[in-house]
Structure formats: C-alpha cells, structure tokens
Amino acid sequence: MTGFEADLLALLPRLRRFARALACDPADADDLCQVALEKALLGRASWQPGTRMDSWMYRIMRNAWIDTTRSRSRAAQTFVAEEAGAMVGDDGGTESRALRRDIAAAMHALPDEQREAVALVLVEGLAYREAAEVLDIPMGTLTSRLVRGRQALMAMLGEAA
C-alpha cells in the first residue's frame, strides 16, 4: 500500500460521515463514498503531495454528490422513494439513537448549501477558509450559511427536545 492509499484509508471514517451528511439515505452515502474514492484513485495524479488530502477529497465527494443529485432529478420517478419506508417497523431504540435520528433528520431538513457548510465546519472540523475553498464560495457566504444553518438546527432540535 502506498502512502497515498494509506492516507486515503485513514480518511475513510471522515469521508463516510461527510457522505452521510450530504445523502439522506445510508446506502446512498456508502455509494457516494465509493464513487468519491474511485474518482480519487483514478485522479491521484491531480493531487499534489504536501496539500491537504481531506479538503481535496471533500471537494471530490461534493462534486460527485452534485452530479448524482442532478442525474436523479432528471430521471423520472415511478415508485415511492426508499426513504419513505425506512422507519417502518422501527422500535425506537435507545434515547441516544433517537437523538442521533433527530439530529440526522434536522441536518437533512437543512437546505443543501447550509447542510454542506455545517457538515464541513461543525462536524468535520475544517477551518472556515478550508471549507470555503472546498465549497468554492467566498468566506462571507460560508459564514452566513453557517449562521443560518446553526439557527435552523437549534430551532428544529429545540422543538424535538
């Protein structure tokens, strides 16, 4: 295993977490993670050693997610989405599982732009500047998306408590 591959493997838990923040469905998140890893391995020549691999991978993943959502919106939907049956037969589980579910639901209720900003800064711990670069937006735009995202999350989770 090369250094590149080892670094990529070490990032996998963070990449999966970001994928779950972008995708509403765990299976979609796993697919997104796989697509991003494939793109990274195929495009490894474009990664410059000495730069932050996590930011590079987040950008790849975000672009892959945008491509996925665009193609899905163009496809005609005949059946009800899988998510509609995701909670059927769920026994509720423990309190922490319920809280995680509430948080996940609140995250997925955010507009895409706010969810991406919150996931990168608050969940993944990227600096504002790095997150702005990953999202290819000005720092002020990132800051305003974060403020609105935090406010919306607090309002939604306050109602859930």
Side-chain angles (χ1 to χ4, degrees):
M1 183 179 303
T2 67
F4 176 86
E5 292 164 348
D7 291 346
L8 206 53
L9 188 59
L11 272 177
L12 193 54
R14 293 175 62 198
L15 294 173
R16 291 189 74 216
R17 192 170 49 225
F18 185 54
R20 286 179 186 255
L22 294 176
C24 293
D25 180 64
D28 288 343
D30 289 341
D31 291 345
L32 176 60
C33 203
Q34 180 177 345
V35 167
L37 289 169
E38 287 175 7
K39 289 179 181 263
L41 290 170
L42 290 171
R44 80 186 319 168
S46 68
W47 180 70
Q48 298 175 358
T51 60
R52 294 202 43 168
M53 183 178 277
D54 58 349
S55 296
W56 182 69
M57 284 301 303
Y58 291 141
R59 182 177 292 252
I60 289 172
M61 184 171 286
R62 180 175 180 265
N63 289 340
W65 179 245
I66 289 169
D67 292 345
T68 300
T69 55
R70 282 182 184 156
S71 68
R72 282 184 181 170
S73 69
R74 282 186 235 121
Q77 291 208 0
T78 309
F79 300 102
V80 174
E82 281 183 47
E83 301 90 80
M87 301 307 281
V88 173
D90 190 16
D91 64 355
T94 64
E95 187 175 314
S96 67
R97 187 178 308 161
L99 179 59
R100 284 194 306 265
R101 196 171 35 245
D102 289 345
I103 292 169
M107 281 287 288
H108 293 302
L110 292 175
D112 292 342
E113 299 83 18
Q114 292 174 17
R115 186 173 60 244
E116 291 170 346
V118 167
L120 287 173
V121 175
L122 301 179
V123 178
E124 296 303 323
L126 262 63
Y128 283 30
R129 182 180 318 267
E130 294 165 338
E133 288 173 8
V134 168
L135 298 174
D136 197 27
I137 58 175
M139 188 99 97
T141 303
L142 174 77
T143 303
S144 95
R145 288 179 184 178
L146 276 171
V147 168
R148 288 191 313 270
R150 281 183 186 136
Q151 289 171 342
L153 285 173
M154 287 189 295
M156 287 185 270
L157 293 173
E159 293 172 5

